[in-house]
Amino acid sequence: MAKTTTKKSDKKEVRFEEALWDAANKLRGSVESSEYKHIVLSLIFLKFISDTFEQRKQALIDAGQEKYIDLVQAYTKENVFYLPEESRWTFIQQNAKQEDIALKIDTALSTIEKTNKSLKGALPDNYFSRLGLTPSKLAALIDVINNIDTIDNEHKDVVGRVYEYFLGKFADSEGKGGGEFYTPKSVVNLITEMIEPYKGKIYDPCCGSGGMFVQSIKFIENHQGDTKDVSIYGQEYTTTTYKLAKMNLAIRGISSNLGEVAADTFFKDQHPQLKADFIMANPPFNQSQWRADDELVNDPRWAGYPTPPTGNANYAWILHMISKLSEHGTAGFVLANGSMSTTTSGEGEIRQQILENDLVDCMVALPGQLFYTTQIPVCLWFISKDKKAESADSKERGLRNRSGETLFIDARNLGYMLDRTHKGLSDEDVKKITDTYHAWRGEQHAGGYEAYQDEAGFCKSATLDEIKANDYVLTPGRYVGAAAIEDDGIPFETKMSELSATLYQHMAEAEKLDQAIRHNLEVLGYEE
């Protein structure tokens, strides 16, 4: 059977997705749908690092360096994981029909983790043995994955892509609530293009599978930057997702500090002293009962602000991120639309103080239907501690002093339908939003931007006094107004005559229909 690949044609890309769906379907009846992606991702990861190991091993042989094929350093110096024989895909494939194949997979993953320090805490621990999968179903799954050529993948974004694909397929059956989902790539790309994390510390306090980090590295590479200029910090609450994030980053050779274990960011902050230059996040939406009434009341992260209410963690996430920003740092994050206008339990007062502290740089209202597992309308917040443009980087990039101003962008009319129920942001949509933001900030890039101007229905630069007049509500629609309607050149009198004639015609037809109905009722014996 020919290897399935995503390179060279859309048809092959479809076959890749179908093969993964095939692999998951073979587990139906044996495993909960929410477990599918973890099983398949772990095996995809094992297949990928085995393929890269074999590729490096062959390169050593071809170079006449066969004596180094069992030397760990010969692999790690090329960002390739060294795999003992019992941890290689060939070994797993050869033993796929054995009754103890689940144990062999667990042993392989455990050995890989022990052999490669950067994978500490990344791989499943006795996961396959615990699930109780039948050897025949596991063997069938291995056969399908064996026909996926992980090396011949154009972007080598296997784990991220598979994770996104599986969330999309299983979202409805898993019944995930607001916020517990993979952030769509177009939204991650938009945040990255807005804050431009070229160099410094990047932090995500609820990093999921690590998509924000992956896109940050891609941004740097696409703009000819040096990935060594950034360091990555994150934290994730769910153990399985924490492991996926570590795999996702490891498969790309991205060094990171995601904490020693999966943990609650509010109650076990694993980066207490961190001051990040860039924060990117998609926190759980409207997280209720995130603390008890007497917990975290005097937490230093709320310094100068009221304690966020127990009923909704949105403002706790905002204040946590503000507390983590460096002196000139910038944050971009996704929240439910309610965060822009709520006055519940002191949230309005917190928002007012954030605005009076001149921290809100930009607000973006996004189109609906972007996320797989919730239809909650969402927005993007951009917080900046460098609105005065005093940092060396800001001066170098030509940023202007934006003190006392906030940019509002209403992007609800952008986007296109990916399918019957989901939308995406096109590259042109992302460019329209980011160009507007960078022009407003006064940035001078190669080629530059056109001078910023308010655009009715799309963007507006508002002062704090204007925001105060709107009761500190941050909904862009309050500020951008309605888009101007183009004049079609037809005089008003002509339009009214045509509309009136059409209306009278409809009224006459309605009268005829009423008479016909009345006649039919009389025939049936139902007279007035």
Side-chain angles (χ1 to χ4, degrees):
M1 181 175 175
K3 292 280 188 178
T4 305
T5 177
T6 64
K7 202 172 182 179
K8 299 178 182 176
S9 74
D10 292 339
K11 186 176 181 180
K12 288 185 177 181
E13 184 165 336
V14 170
R15 293 213 310 269
F16 175 75
E17 305 292 10
E18 288 176 349
L20 292 173
W21 186 239
D22 236 7
N25 278 337
K26 293 183 186 300
L27 301 178
R28 285 191 181 279
S30 301
V31 183
E32 291 294 324
S33 62
S34 58
E35 302 278 11
Y36 294 0
K37 59 182 173 290
H38 301 299
I39 298 169
V40 178
L41 277 169
S42 297
L43 289 175
I44 286 280
F45 178 79
L46 180 56
K47 175 70 162 58
F48 177 82
I49 63 174
S50 294
D51 286 352
T52 54
F53 168 82
E54 296 294 349
Q55 186 181 57
R56 174 59 181 160
K57 179 181 176 182
Q58 189 60 49
L60 290 171
I61 294 171
D62 293 343
Q65 299 178 346
E66 193 167 350
K67 62 182 179 180
Y68 298 125
I69 61 173
D70 288 319
L71 184 66
V72 175
Q73 291 83 348
Y75 297 86
T76 54
K77 74 175 185 178
E78 298 294 332
N79 285 325
V80 174
F81 297 111
Y82 176 79
L83 306 182
E85 187 172 350
E86 67 275 16
S87 296
R88 300 170 192 173
W89 182 258
T90 50
F91 178 83
I92 297 300
Q93 184 194 4
Q94 290 164 4
N95 289 275
K97 303 294 192 291
Q98 300 297 316
E99 288 294 319
D100 64 345
I101 184 58
L103 177 60
K104 282 183 166 60
I105 294 172
D106 283 333
T107 302
L109 295 173
S110 175
T111 303
I112 291 169
E113 189 171 315
K114 290 174 182 176
T115 309
N116 300 276
K117 292 181 179 180
S118 64
L119 290 177
K120 182 182 178 182
L123 304 181
D125 182 21
N126 294 325
Y127 191 69
F128 287 81
S129 299
R130 289 202 311 270
L131 287 175
L133 287 168
T134 63
S136 60
K137 287 196 172 185
L138 198 47
L141 176 61
I142 291 169
D143 283 344
V144 173
I145 291 176
N146 187 58
N147 288 295
I148 298 172
D149 191 344
T150 64
I151 295 295
D152 193 18
N153 181 282
E154 188 174 358
H155 304 294
K156 294 187 178 179
D157 191 11
V158 179
V159 175
R161 177 179 168 184
V162 175
Y163 187 60
E164 182 176 22
Y165 175 76
F166 271 65
L167 271 182
K169 281 289 187 182
F170 297 123
D172 292 336
S173 60
E174 289 182 32
K176 294 294 185 182
E180 293 184 39
F181 43 75
Y182 180 86
T183 311
K185 193 171 292 185
S186 61
V187 176
V188 179
N189 185 42
L190 174 57
I191 295 174
T192 308
E193 293 288 338
M194 291 283 274
I195 71 174
E196 299 185 318
Y198 278 110
K199 58 179 65 176
K201 297 176 181 177
I202 303 173
Y203 174 57
D204 184 344
C206 39
C207 67
S209 65
M212 298 285 187
F213 301 136
V214 172
Q215 195 59 40
S216 297
I217 296 300
K218 288 183 178 179
F219 173 84
I220 295 168
E221 292 172 345
N222 291 339
H223 292 79
Q224 290 74 52
D226 189 345
T227 56
K228 294 179 181 178
D229 287 340
V230 297
S231 50
I232 287 173
Y233 298 84
Q235 189 158 332
E236 171 55 37
Y237 175 72
T238 307
T239 301
T240 51
T241 309
Y242 169 80
K243 291 178 180 292
L244 287 178
K246 298 204 75 170
M247 281 194 290
N248 198 5
L249 298 176
I251 209 169
R252 298 172 176 84
I254 300 174
S255 298
S256 63
N257 180 349
L258 304 187
E260 289 298 315
V261 294
D264 186 309
T265 300
F266 294 125
F267 288 92
K268 186 178 175 62
D269 181 5
Q270 299 187 70
H271 309 289
Q273 306 304 319
L274 176 67
K275 292 296 179 181
D277 301 293
F278 302 98
I279 296 177
M280 307 167 67
N282 177 18
F285 292 170
N286 304 322
Q287 186 180 359
S288 62
Q289 303 306 315
W290 59 280
R291 68 174 181 88
D293 289 338
D294 58 346
E295 292 177 317
L296 302 178
V297 174
N298 297 311
D299 194 280
R301 287 171 288 188
W302 330 137
Y305 296 94
T307 301
T310 59
N312 194 315
N314 286 345
Y315 276 82
W317 285 112
I318 294 173
L319 294 182
H320 171 81
M321 287 186 272
I322 288 175
S323 75
K324 293 293 185 183
L325 278 177
S326 65
E327 182 183 3
H328 300 293
T330 301
F333 48 91
V334 187
L335 281 179
N337 273 3
S339 65
M340 298 188 289
S341 57
T342 178
T343 56
T344 303
S345 304
E347 289 173 320
E349 184 181 343
I350 298 175
R351 186 173 60 255
Q352 177 178 336
Q353 286 188 227
I354 292 172
L355 282 159
E356 290 177 346
N357 288 339
D358 203 18
L359 293 173
V360 182
D361 206 31
C362 178
M363 297 296 301
V364 181
L366 293 175
Q369 299 175 270
L370 287 175
F371 294 91
Y372 283 118
T373 57
T374 181
Q375 294 301 313
I376 295 175
V378 301
C379 60
L380 297 182
W381 288 62
F382 292 93
I383 299 289
S384 176
K385 287 193 173 182
D386 194 27
K387 290 179 73 174
K388 291 183 179 180
E390 293 178 334
S391 70
D393 181 60
S394 291
K395 292 176 181 177
E396 181 182 338
R397 293 159 66 177
L399 270 65
R400 69 181 183 87
N401 186 336
R402 309 178 305 283
S403 297
E405 298 177 57
T406 296
L407 176 65
F408 292 91
I409 297 177
D410 190 344
R412 290 176 297 173
N413 292 325
L414 299 184
Y416 66 98
M417 296 305 296
L418 291 167
D419 53 43
R420 290 186 301 106
T421 56
H422 301 117
K423 270 188 177 180
L425 294 172
S426 68
D427 292 343
E428 292 73 20
D429 294 331
V430 171
K431 187 175 189 304
K432 179 177 175 64
I433 297 169
T434 56
D435 280 2
T436 300
Y437 178 56
H438 295 307
W440 175 77
R441 296 205 305 176
E443 290 186 85
Q444 300 300 317
H445 284 191
Y449 295 103
E450 293 182 7
Y452 171 81
Q453 288 185 331
D454 290 342
E455 180 182 330
F458 180 68
C459 62
K460 162 73 175 177
S461 180
T463 64
L464 181 59
D465 285 341
E466 290 175 286
I467 297 172
K468 183 178 180 179
N470 280 280
D471 298 321
Y472 298 97
V473 169
L474 292 176
T475 307
R478 286 273 188 116
Y479 302 91
V480 303
I485 300 174
E486 291 187 13
D487 185 357
D488 56 13
I490 302 174
F492 174 77
E493 293 77 7
T494 303
K495 287 183 179 179
M496 278 303 297
S497 296
E498 292 176 349
L499 289 171
S500 298
T502 301
L503 177 60
Y504 287 135
Q505 182 182 347
H506 288 324
M507 291 170 67
E509 291 175 353
E511 188 175 346
K512 289 179 181 178
L513 287 171
D514 285 342
Q515 290 175 354
I517 293 170
R518 191 181 298 273
H519 173 72
N520 289 335
L521 288 171
E522 289 175 355
V523 170
L524 294 171
Y526 296 98
E527 298 182 17
E528 283 186 294

